[in-house]
Amino acid sequence: MKPIRTFTVAPSLPESLLHLKELAYNLWWCWNPEAIALWRRLDPVLWDETYHNPVKILGTISQKRLEEKAKDDAFLANLERVYENFTDYMNEEQTWFDKKHGHRDVPVVAYFSAEFGLTESVRLYSGGLGMLAGDHLKSASDLGVPLVAVGMLYRVGYFKQKLNAGGYQQEVYPENDFYNMPITPMLDANGNHSRVTVDLPGRTLHCLLWKLQIGRVPLYLLDTDTPENSAGDRWITRELYGGDTETRIMQELVLGIGGLRALHTLNIHPRVYHMNEGHSAFLALERIAVSMERHKMSFREALELTRAGNVFTTHTPVPAGIDVFSRELMEKYFSQYYSKLQISWQEFLNLGWQDNTPKGNGFSMAVCALNLCGEANGVSKLHGAVSRKMWGDLYPEVPFKEIPIDSITNGVHTRSYVSTEMSALFDRYLGPRWIANPGDQTVWEKIDLIPMEELWRTHERRRERLVAFARMRLEMQLKARNAPPSEIARAQEVLNPEFLTIGFARRFATYKRATLLFKDKERLIKILCNPERPIQLVVAGKAHPKDEPGKNFIKEIIKQSNDERLRRHIVFIEDYDVVVARYLVQGVDVWLNNPRRPQEASGTSGMKASANGGLNLSILDGWWDEAYNQDVGWAIGTREEYENLDYQDEIEANSLYELLEKEVAPKFYDLSKDGLPRHWIKMMKQCMKEINPVFNTNRMVAEYTDRFYVPGDLRYLALSQNERKGARDLAAWLEKIRASWGRIKIEGINGETSKEHKVGDLFNVEVKANLGGLTAEDVKVQAFYGLMIGESGELPDGEIVTLEKQSNEGDNYVFKGAVPLKLSGKMGMAVRIMPNHKDLIHPFLIGHITWAK
């Protein structure tokens, strides 16, 4: 029987405990150890049963327990202290942003992401992209960046993983209970649940709006599960990355177009929009449409205005990972929408069209974002280079290093991953600035003040906790599979809290090569089971439900771990999530990562291990390619890339075995007379000193703010002044450039090529050009010069000198300049003409460049 009414009944909070509700509905608590301890102290049993969910605790705790705590002076003092810290944080007068860029009363930035990993009880994430997004919001809050975020509220989120007796992954989809999550419905002026609409073929989709508060940063979530929608449409936001390609395009319409409408409905109008991956790229189209309607602008005018404040971060190093939608799907979902933009259907498709992708010809969300965003970046230095190579065809004739895709290396929110014990150690010896300013190198230099004995004992306690946790989870897994009692009992015998412990945990995509360590099983057994230097391995990770090769990797590891010789040395922990990750990165001695270079965009789990003193053993890919040196960890192989993948696996597996046998294990078990592995501890300290101040999201968000957010905000503001005159003038100038560019000719180049030149000389250059109706102020004439490489006569890299106008007769101009000769060898020089305007973000974005032939 279905109820005719539903309502919620919760215990009544005594007046002395009222602050608990405010604390429960702000995720500030999840990166503050004293606040976490407060919730555990309120009811330790419920803390575990609710999977660390304060809102659910308050909804289910007994009235008797509340009354007891309301009279517990020690608990009340703890609550008062936590609440005071919380209010001080929320009301801080001069944040980092305020001090550097001035206070802003309204949000400057809107950050869009399909997933957010914030804490274990809020399941709106699947993996690294979501965890990075969650850390971005936490650091934005810490730094006081005026930022709001937009995502989707999934009914089931990502799946929970179960393995059968044979090790095959099965997926379970428990539903999120919105009324026991720290989310609140956004209400309109009449007290009704706020909503926005998105047009779908033949119908209107209604999206409810919710809010999740992360410190100072609000995250607004869209939810299509409302009776106004059809049964099928209610499922659009049911599952993260679920369904087919048509479900995906509908989800991305909700996120991009619906997300922008949600902010406008809430009267939130940032000038900068940051797209975390291409899932939200449709918001760039909606920004153009809104600007055209509100400000009576043409498509080109609105494009230049909005592009000034659009930022795109790509996390994908392989074309197969990009969302691409067929012409048929685009016609189905945009045949009515595109007319708003007052451009032709082909012009609309060209905004994102790409031929010959792994998914066929279609509308690429990454191409759309690159075309409509003023700034774009990869997430490590290596990934920036990979992205420039991957998308180079979009920028014909642009030198590789000048392709307008930059890089900002990812980081982690340090305080969210450092163990309570290690945090206490940092508090004692580093002082409070490691929390307030984790990017300050001088703070981490104080790591040397920590006595070796104290650091090692702290780390050993975390390893002991990891072993206890792994045994507990293994026992639960075996019971769930109805394993024999004898096998369940043996779960308490796996691992040893004193053995060298290696962690390997990540999404089980094939390029991450989870089974590389098992390439030579007999050699691995010899290494792990060495009686003098034993090693143990804790593994975790999920494969995408449709990724059969990834599932087979898990199955293979389970099979290997069941070998009688390895049973006590290898454990696979099911259902990898924030909790499992926390135990692993806080407790392992070594973090192993062996992707196929260069397919790891960044990776962040190794950074979390480093924050706790764990050492990385990794392929030189992603972030480790720029972080590695022999004082902080180990590199598997070299930076070589292979065509024969089997040969690559053989070479790099052998390198991994060699390192374990000859470097890692000997150093770990090299004990001084006092029983301490002093050389190992020295590496731990050096690792934390070098990695922690750089690879954290406070540094990362500050970099986004300084390089993209604030400049984008100022650009947008400048173009908006005087009824958006700057944007209109820029668009008109670009029309002039497009009309005239084909008439530009470089008619002569004079240079002193006949005589011998020496380092330190100046090479004088004169260029004669017909500008075809443009003026010298409309262009830059540049010499591009450098060392010539190989027999092809290419200039792979070069330096630039801008030449100055000397004279002109009508359209015929003379430009002159001098090239400084800094290096010896065979030099080459090219000459080019590019558009030049004070409001152009990157001249290459508009696709006009003329080189001398």
Side-chain angles (χ1 to χ4, degrees), residues 12 25 30 117 158 165 212 241 374 379 444 481 490 514 570 577 599 609 621 631 711 728 830:
S12 300
Y25 278 87
C30 77
Y158 206 52
L212 178 61
Y241 304 143
V379 290
W444 295 102
R481 296 177 206 157
R490 290 170 66 181
I570 301 176
D577 68 355
Q599 297 186 39
D621 199 7
D631 295 327
R728 299 180 200 276

Side-chain angles (χ1 to χ4, degrees), residues 641-700:
E641 295 171 25
Y642 299 78
E643 291 185 8
N644 186 326
L645 301 185
D646 291 335
Y647 179 66
Q648 178 183 8
D649 290 349
E650 183 180 336
I651 293 294
E652 292 178 345
N654 186 65
S655 173
L656 174 54
Y657 295 142
E658 290 282 314
L659 285 167
L660 290 172
E661 288 174 320
K662 298 178 181 180
E663 298 288 338
V664 181
K667 190 177 289 285
F668 182 86
Y669 287 105
D670 179 18
L671 305 181
S672 60
K673 291 182 180 180
D674 56 6
L676 294 177
R678 290 187 173 270
H679 293 298
W680 187 277
I681 299 169
K682 184 179 178 182
M683 280 188 76
M684 290 174 63
K685 287 190 171 188
Q686 193 63 29
C687 170
M688 289 191 280
K689 283 164 58 178
E690 291 190 26
I691 290 176
N692 291 6
V694 178
F695 297 95
N696 65 79
T697 44
N698 279 42
R699 182 274 311 158
M700 182 192 81

Side-chain angles (χ1 to χ4, degrees), residues 407-453:
S407 68
I408 293 180
T409 302
N410 282 346
V412 298
H413 186 255
T414 308
R415 206 175 179 202
S416 291
Y417 303 104
V418 172
S419 70
T420 303
E421 295 88 344
M422 195 64 76
S423 292
L425 206 58
F426 290 168
D427 288 345
R428 192 175 310 130
Y429 291 99
L430 275 60
R433 286 179 59 225
W434 80 270
I435 296 172
N437 192 3
D440 186 343
Q441 178 71 49
T442 62
V443 171
W444 295 102
E445 292 295 333
K446 293 181 180 179
I447 286 286
D448 286 333
L449 299 177
I450 303 176
M452 283 194 171
E453 299 85 349

Side-chain angles (χ1 to χ4, degrees), residues 479-698:
K479 287 179 178 178
R481 296 177 206 157
N482 291 316
S486 59
E487 188 177 353
I488 295 172
R490 290 170 66 181
Q492 291 305 313
E493 299 174 1
V494 302
L495 307 182
N496 184 313
E498 295 184 359
F499 285 2
L500 168 58
T501 303
I502 297 176
F504 181 93
R506 54 199 21 87
R507 182 168 55 90
F508 267 60
T510 51
Y511 79 86
K512 293 178 183 281
R513 298 190 295 178
T515 57
L516 185 69
L517 188 61
F518 299 88
K519 184 80 173 172
D520 184 340
K521 182 178 177 181
E522 293 306 315
R523 188 173 180 185
L524 176 64
I525 291 171
K526 181 182 175 183
I527 294 170
L528 297 188
C529 300
N530 184 327
E532 295 180 358
R533 296 169 180 165
I535 300 175
Q536 57 197 11
L537 183 66
V538 184
V539 185
K542 297 177 179 179
H544 188 278
K546 296 177 183 178
D547 183 3
E548 287 300 323
K551 290 184 177 183
N552 288 333
F553 276 4
I554 296 173
K555 190 176 179 180
E556 177 65 19
I557 291 175
I558 296 298
K559 177 184 174 183
Q560 301 293 355
S561 67
N562 286 335
D563 186 303
E564 193 60 37
R565 295 167 292 178
L566 294 175
R567 288 179 71 99
R568 296 187 180 187
H569 291 264
I570 301 176
V571 171
F572 187 99
I573 300 178
E574 287 180 16
D575 200 33
Y576 183 43
D577 68 355
V578 177
V579 171
V580 175
R582 196 179 292 128
Y583 274 96
L584 278 164
V585 300
Q586 293 173 1
V588 297
D589 301 295
V590 173
W591 194 259
L592 175 63
N593 189 26
N594 42 241
R596 199 179 298 284
R597 176 186 164 100
Q599 297 186 39
E600 183 88 295
S602 171
T604 55
S605 52
M607 303 174 192
K608 298 166 188 174
S610 294
N612 288 280
L615 304 179
N616 278 268
L617 171 60
S618 177
I619 296 288
L620 290 168
D621 199 7
W623 79 284
W624 190 239
D625 184 66
E626 61 195 85
Y628 166 72
N629 67 67
Q630 61 184 6
D631 295 327
V632 300
W634 297 272
I636 303 169
T638 63
R639 291 181 169 87
E640 190 171 354
E641 295 171 25
Y642 299 78
E643 291 185 8
N644 186 326
L645 301 185
D646 291 335
Y647 179 66
Q648 178 183 8
D649 290 349
E650 183 180 336
I651 293 294
E652 292 178 345
N654 186 65
S655 173
L656 174 54
Y657 295 142
E658 290 282 314
L659 285 167
L660 290 172
E661 288 174 320
K662 298 178 181 180
E663 298 288 338
V664 181
K667 190 177 289 285
F668 182 86
Y669 287 105
D670 179 18
L671 305 181
S672 60
K673 291 182 180 180
D674 56 6
L676 294 177
R678 290 187 173 270
H679 293 298
W680 187 277
I681 299 169
K682 184 179 178 182
M683 280 188 76
M684 290 174 63
K685 287 190 171 188
Q686 193 63 29
C687 170
M688 289 191 280
K689 283 164 58 178
E690 291 190 26
I691 290 176
N692 291 6
V694 178
F695 297 95
N696 65 79
T697 44
N698 279 42

Side-chain angles (χ1 to χ4, degrees), residues 179-196:
Y179 295 96
N180 276 312
M181 291 172 64
I183 58 173
T184 53
M186 298 305 297
L187 304 179
D188 62 21
N190 298 318
N192 299 317
H193 201 156
S194 287
R195 63 201 66 213
V196 295

Side-chain angles (χ1 to χ4, degrees), residues 320-352:
I322 303 295
D323 283 340
V324 176
F325 300 118
S326 68
R327 182 182 295 269
E328 291 74 23
L329 271 181
M330 292 302 292
E331 286 177 350
K332 182 174 181 179
Y333 286 91
F334 283 95
S335 59
Q336 300 299 315
Y337 182 93
Y338 87 94
S339 60
K340 291 183 177 183
L341 304 179
Q342 299 173 19
I343 57 177
S344 71
W345 175 241
Q346 191 56 52
E347 286 175 311
F348 176 80
L349 289 180
N350 287 345
L351 295 174

